Amino acid sequence: GMTQWITKLLLYVFPAAFTAAQDLSWLGAGRFGNQKPAVQQQMQSFHEPLTWRYPEPPVEEPPQYPEHFELKVPQAPNSVSAICGESTVRVEAKKDLLGIGKPVLAADVTLGGCPATGEDPAGELLIFESELHGCGSELTMMEDSFVYTFTLLYTPSPLGDSPVVRTRDISVSVECHYQRKHGVSSDLMKPTWMPFTDAKTSEESLYFAIHLMTDNWEFIRPSSQFILGDMMRFEVSVKQFHHIPLRLTVDSCTATVVPNIDTVPRYAFLGNHGCLFDSQLTGSSSRFLPRSQDDRLQFEVEAFRFQQDNSGLYITCSVRATPATTPIDATNKACSFSNGWIEASSNHRACTCCDTTCGSGKLSQPSEWT
């Protein structure tokens, strides 16, 4: 009946129009006889080109900027203090080191590479204590005073398991100033007069210097930028006044990407009490120049960089001055490698230990060049 015909019509409309038309004519034949349907199938064609186009995008309004915009300049927080003692220094750093309301991790803060020696939970402080000669301090001599300079370093570690940080490295200099000559009053001290020459010798200090030199070694190089393949020419010297004649030696030099030799990556291109390893390790032409003065030493190193790092280098060297009469030996030498080890003063036998271990000795305070 009629209900069944409608049902079959709906079932055939969805699959395809052509099939539906065929079934309709078959159904029609059952109802109206054998008359053929008058409708013919034709492909639709277009005699005129289409005039419809995608609408134009809306016109963007020009951005509105504030009239007076200034980048926020970070303010240095008053978060580090120091107490300088007779032979030690105590540095206190707030855990909110950056002054942004977020404490830093204690492991990320060092005093010249030394970790915190204690914490003050009540005051939320990190405490660092060190001898004046410890924790990477640098000694600077003035005419009437001397200064010990420490560096408090904050190097943020990545956040969680991610490789990102949201704070920058911070370096804070801490200085302890002391008078070279001052009056004291104590019942325990019994001052005695000394001859003038003895007094001058006891008060005298050594002034070390390290400079980059021009290619002809005549002038201090005004720039510390090099092209790979250039030679970096170093001249280390010591000034002496009332001292007996001295001979200068360079015990070690280490390159790092931050001013701290206890970091990675690092490259100790000179060590073992005066062995210039770079030419042996890399096949470079790095070398000590023949020594012409006892109180001056020159060496040159082929410019290099750390792989995957173009930020520059810090070079820290340990230098010593000993009496010029001290024999050149395993711990007092300047050795270069060129088909074997040679010594800058032609005492080549002193270099035979460069491939092993050249004794031990107390080194002087490192001198840093950047």
Side-chain angles (χ1 to χ4, degrees):
M2 190 61 155
T3 302
Q4 181 182 4
W5 182 82
I6 292 174
T7 302
K8 294 187 72 173
L9 174 63
L10 290 175
L11 288 171
Y12 280 95
V13 166
F14 285 96
F18 182 74
T19 304
Q22 286 181 328
D23 287 349
L24 280 173
S25 68
W26 176 79
L27 290 171
R31 182 181 175 109
F32 300 108
N34 295 323
Q35 295 178 0
K36 294 184 178 181
V39 179
Q40 298 290 326
Q41 291 285 334
Q42 270 190 341
M43 181 183 296
Q44 185 178 2
S45 63
F46 297 95
H47 301 289
E48 297 295 335
L50 290 175
T51 59
W52 183 87
R53 296 288 184 271
Y54 281 101
E56 294 294 329
V59 178
E60 292 187 6
E61 296 182 2
Q64 299 294 320
Y65 298 111
E67 293 183 7
H68 304 289
F69 175 78
E70 294 182 1
L71 285 174
K72 182 179 179 181
V73 179
Q75 299 295 322
N78 185 22
S79 57
V80 179
S81 61
I83 302 173
C84 300
E86 291 184 1
S87 60
T88 60
V89 63
R90 176 187 173 96
V91 178
E92 297 181 352
K94 294 180 182 178
K95 288 189 177 180
D96 183 14
L97 184 66
L98 308 179
I100 58 175
K102 295 182 179 180
V104 299
L105 294 177
D108 292 347
V109 187
T110 67
L111 184 66
C114 297
T117 55
E119 294 189 25
D120 179 1
E124 296 187 343
L125 298 173
L126 298 175
I127 299 171
F128 301 83
E129 293 181 320
S130 170
E131 298 289 331
L132 291 179
H133 292 283
C135 292
S137 69
E138 294 185 1
L139 174 60
T140 304
M141 304 299 298
M142 309 291 187
E143 183 177 353
D144 57 354
S145 65
F146 53 94
V147 181
Y148 288 92
T149 304
F150 295 82
T151 303
L152 187 77
L153 292 171
Y154 167 61
T155 306
S157 54
L159 297 170
D161 294 330
S162 76
V164 303
V165 295
R166 289 196 167 89
T167 52
R168 57 171 295 174
D169 293 6
I170 301 296
S171 175
V172 181
S173 291
V174 177
E175 296 183 354
C176 288
H177 293 246
Y178 298 88
Q179 291 183 344
R180 289 186 65 179
K181 303 176 184 178
H182 58 277
V184 296
S185 176
S186 172
D187 293 336
L188 298 177
M189 298 185 67
K190 304 294 183 182
T192 58
W193 291 104
M194 292 185 296
F196 171 76
T197 53
D198 290 345
K200 292 302 293 182
T201 301
S202 66
E203 293 173 6
E204 190 53 62
S205 296
L206 301 181
Y207 295 83
F208 294 95
I210 179 169
H211 294 295
L212 281 172
M213 305 299 289
T214 54
D215 291 349
N216 58 10
W217 295 95
E218 292 184 8
F219 303 99
I220 295 175
R221 197 175 193 272
S223 171
S224 60
Q225 293 184 335
F226 294 87
I227 299 173
L228 292 178
D230 286 350
M231 298 299 291
M232 300 185 294
R233 293 177 169 85
F234 299 90
E235 182 174 274
V236 187
S237 61
V238 58
K239 287 185 178 181
Q240 59 189 76
F241 297 93
H242 299 278
H243 275 290
I244 60 175
L246 298 173
R247 184 192 301 118
L248 185 75
T249 56
V250 180
D251 282 301
S252 64
C253 286
T254 302
T256 52
V257 295
V258 294
N260 180 357
I261 61 174
D262 297 321
T263 57
V264 175
R266 63 174 174 264
Y267 177 39
F269 60 88
L270 196 162
N272 206 1
H273 294 277
C275 302
L276 186 53
F277 296 122
D278 183 67
S279 53
Q280 185 189 41
L281 294 175
T282 67
S284 71
S285 54
S286 303
R287 66 184 183 117
F288 280 104
L289 269 64
R291 189 190 287 272
S292 59
Q293 296 175 248
D294 281 334
D295 60 355
R296 192 176 306 271
L297 189 58
Q298 297 170 328
F299 61 97
E300 52 190 14
V301 179
E302 280 194 35
F304 61 89
R305 68 175 182 86
F306 286 108
Q307 187 179 19
Q308 299 178 345
D309 188 281
N310 294 307
S311 59
L313 301 173
Y314 286 83
I315 294 180
T316 304
C317 295
S318 238
V319 301
R320 283 185 300 124
T322 54
T325 55
T326 303
I328 294 175
D329 56 18
T331 57
N332 297 282
K333 63 187 185 302
C335 297
S336 308
F337 186 85
S338 178
N339 294 324
W341 291 100
I342 56 175
E343 209 277 327
S345 300
S346 299
N347 293 286
H348 306 315
R349 291 186 60 184
C351 303
T352 55
C353 64
C354 278
D355 290 323
T356 55
T357 301
C358 297
S360 61
K362 185 177 181 181
L363 303 185
S364 66
Q365 184 65 31
S367 177
E368 181 182 291
W369 167 83
T370 62

